[in-house]
Amino acid sequence: MLNLEKQLAFINELDRLKAVYRKTMVKPDNNRQENSAEHSWHIALMAQVLKDYIEEPVDVNRAVMMLLIHDIVEIDAGDTFAFAEQHELDGQEEKEIEAANRLFGLLPESQFVEMKALWMEFEQAETADARFAKAMDRILPLIQNMSNEGGSWVKHTVSKQQVLKRNEYLEKVTPKLWQYACEQIDLAVEKGWLTNN
């Protein structure tokens, strides 16, 4: 029963992720800010839907698990804007590692080790599974901003180069989605939703 108590404590703590808000806006809900729990669910499902575009061996179920847990650390560390200035990002990595230790540490030891290792793998993005997960994490905001006339890009004066750099994981893992992203980014520049630099 001790393991169950730990697991339930972790599950209850996850509820706090619903109160962490991102810069991305939810167009169908009066452009309110998206929360991190919604984002995690959305990209996890998207990874299953878009798995046919992967061009290197990937364990999609492992990648989906990474997507489901990748932002849990934001419960303690908060969300950082994808295009934040460096001074706003300073110290964030340390905060996230501390958060990972606390949050995954609520679980029984074996699950703590497994979850933290999976989270670290996502962060380092050196395996095919993690690169695919990162690619999904990056392209969804692009899709959302394109469907919302630039959304948070316009609000925060984001540039073409910033969005290209952010989506670079797509190029090796899923070249067709990379081509799609590049076309969308060019279109966003044409429409004035991204600055052309």
Side-chain angles (χ1 to χ4, degrees), residues 144-189:
Q144 290 170 305
N145 281 314
M146 287 303 294
S147 72
N148 199 11
E149 298 177 350
S152 62
W153 292 339
V154 173
K155 189 173 181 181
H156 299 280
T157 320
V158 175
S159 74
K160 172 182 179 175
Q161 287 306 315
Q162 287 176 298
V163 179
L164 283 170
K165 177 76 175 153
R166 185 90 178 144
N167 282 277
E168 67 187 359
Y169 290 99
L170 292 162
E171 190 170 10
K172 288 182 182 171
V173 182
T174 172
K176 288 178 183 164
L177 291 179
W178 170 246
Q179 180 182 349
Y180 170 80
C182 290
E183 290 167 0
Q184 294 299 296
I185 291 166
D186 286 341
L187 181 60
V189 170

Side-chain angles (χ1 to χ4, degrees), residues 84-101:
E85 298 292 328
Q86 187 55 51
H87 71 275
E88 297 173 88
L89 300 174
D90 290 342
Q92 186 65 19
E93 184 178 346
E94 292 80 13
K95 285 183 202 169
E96 290 184 357
I97 290 169
E98 191 177 311
N101 286 329

Side-chain angles (χ1 to χ4, degrees), residues 70-81 84-104 116 119-120 123:
H70 81 290
D71 277 342
I72 287 173
V73 296
E74 292 179 2
I75 290 169
D76 288 356
D79 179 53
T80 54
F81 183 44
E85 298 292 328
Q86 187 55 51
H87 71 275
E88 297 173 88
L89 300 174
D90 290 342
Q92 186 65 19
E93 184 178 346
E94 292 80 13
K95 285 183 202 169
E96 290 184 357
I97 290 169
E98 191 177 311
N101 286 329
R102 185 188 82 77
L103 292 159
F104 298 130
K116 187 174 177 199
W119 178 79
M120 289 296 298
E123 289 299 308

